[in-house]
């Protein structure tokens, strides 16, 4: 992603927060980015492409944070918490900072959902990587690192849309982490 694309996507994100996905226009995005509409259309064919790009940028940035901070975490719970913070908590807070949160949540079209699924798949792979060293113990619970990572990812993603508020989301995520940790420990 080059500097111009990032500038446009950051502007688009601000516009989506301000107006919602449905009401945002390509003209709004171009104005916010400080580029000509033709420049915007040369970079992104339509608003759906901009939305996909915004989701992709979020995923890239979140994964970069995870990768840079993961090496300083020693405990599996801290590693899982880091991934879930970037995958769930930050987007939750981001979406709910907008008066158009409902439109942002519901405004994704099929292409946006596909991009979101690709982002979640990257997070799931990171969760699997974290859990893999405990795979033998996880297997004693009838699971695998891959399956446990998928369960965590799908549950956490659902929590983001179902939580009443940030405190409730935090409680749900902490419970999920506790269950995951117990799956990585031998039965006494």
């Amino acid at each position: 992603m080059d500097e111009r694309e990032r500038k446009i996507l950051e502007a688009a994100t601000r516009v989506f927060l301000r107006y919602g996905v449905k009401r945002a226009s390509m003209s709004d995005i171009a104005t916010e980015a400080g580029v000509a509409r033709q420049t915007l259309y040369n970079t992104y064919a339509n608003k759906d492409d901009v939305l996909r790009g915004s989701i992709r940028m979020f995923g890239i940035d979140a994964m970069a944070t995870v990768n840079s901070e993961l090496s300083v975490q020693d405990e599996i719970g801290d590693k899982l918490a880091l991934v879930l913070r970037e995958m769930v908590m930050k987007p939750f807070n981001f979406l709910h900072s907008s008066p158009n949160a409902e439109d942002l949540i519901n405004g994704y079209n099929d292409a946006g959902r596909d991009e979101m699924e690709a982002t979640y798949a990257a997070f799931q792979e990171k969760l699997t990587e974290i859990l893999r060293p405990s795979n033998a113990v996880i297997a004693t619970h009838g699971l695998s690192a891959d399956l446990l990572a998928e369960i965590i990812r799908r549950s956490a993603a659902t929590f983001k849309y179902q939580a009443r508020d940030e405190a409730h989301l935090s409680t749900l995520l902490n419970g999920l982490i506790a269950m995951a940790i117990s799956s990585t420990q031998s039965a006494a």
Side-chain angles (χ1 to χ4, degrees):
M1 180 176 307
D2 66 27
E3 189 175 321
R4 180 180 64 188
E5 289 174 306
R6 181 168 282 282
K7 179 181 175 180
I8 290 170
L9 295 175
E10 287 172 350
T13 300
R14 291 189 299 272
V15 170
F16 292 149
L17 280 173
R18 190 177 312 130
Y19 301 122
V21 175
K22 291 176 190 165
R23 288 187 19 225
S25 71
M26 291 293 273
S27 292
D28 295 329
I29 295 166
T31 300
E32 182 76 20
V35 300
R37 281 185 58 203
Q38 190 57 50
T39 300
L40 176 58
Y41 279 105
N42 288 343
T43 308
Y44 295 99
N46 54 46
K47 189 168 61 171
D48 289 345
D49 283 350
V50 175
L51 178 60
R52 282 190 294 273
S54 296
I55 295 167
R56 188 176 316 112
M57 180 183 69
F58 168 78
I60 290 168
D61 292 349
M63 194 54 69
T65 299
V66 167
N67 288 330
S68 71
E69 295 180 19
L70 202 54
S71 63
V72 300
Q73 303 298 328
D74 295 324
E75 302 296 323
I76 194 166
D78 294 334
K79 292 177 181 183
L80 295 172
L82 168 63
V83 173
L84 294 178
R85 180 190 77 205
E86 294 299 317
M87 182 181 105
V88 179
M89 189 60 78
K90 279 189 177 178
F92 178 87
N93 289 330
F94 175 78
L95 289 172
H96 289 85
S97 70
S98 170
N100 298 296
E102 187 73 23
D103 178 58
L104 291 169
I105 291 167
N106 296 325
Y108 296 121
N109 56 22
D110 289 337
R113 278 188 273 287
D114 290 346
E115 194 64 47
M116 197 64 170
E117 184 59 32
T119 298
Y120 280 140
F123 279 111
Q124 184 174 321
E125 181 53 39
K126 189 56 67 174
L127 291 167
T128 300
E129 181 183 310
I130 291 166
L131 296 167
R132 195 169 286 127
S134 302
N135 201 34
V137 176
I138 293 169
T140 67
H141 297 281
L143 301 168
S144 66
D146 290 324
L147 179 57
L148 183 55
E150 183 178 359
I151 291 167
I152 293 168
R153 186 271 291 206
R154 291 188 185 280
S155 298
T158 301
F159 295 165
K160 180 171 64 176
Y161 298 110
Q162 301 297 321
R164 293 185 299 271
D165 53 33
E166 184 178 355
H168 185 225
L169 179 59
S170 183
T171 299
L172 293 170
L173 293 175
N174 287 335
L176 187 59
I177 291 167
M179 287 189 296
I181 290 171
S182 70
S183 296
T184 65
Q185 298 172 344
S186 298

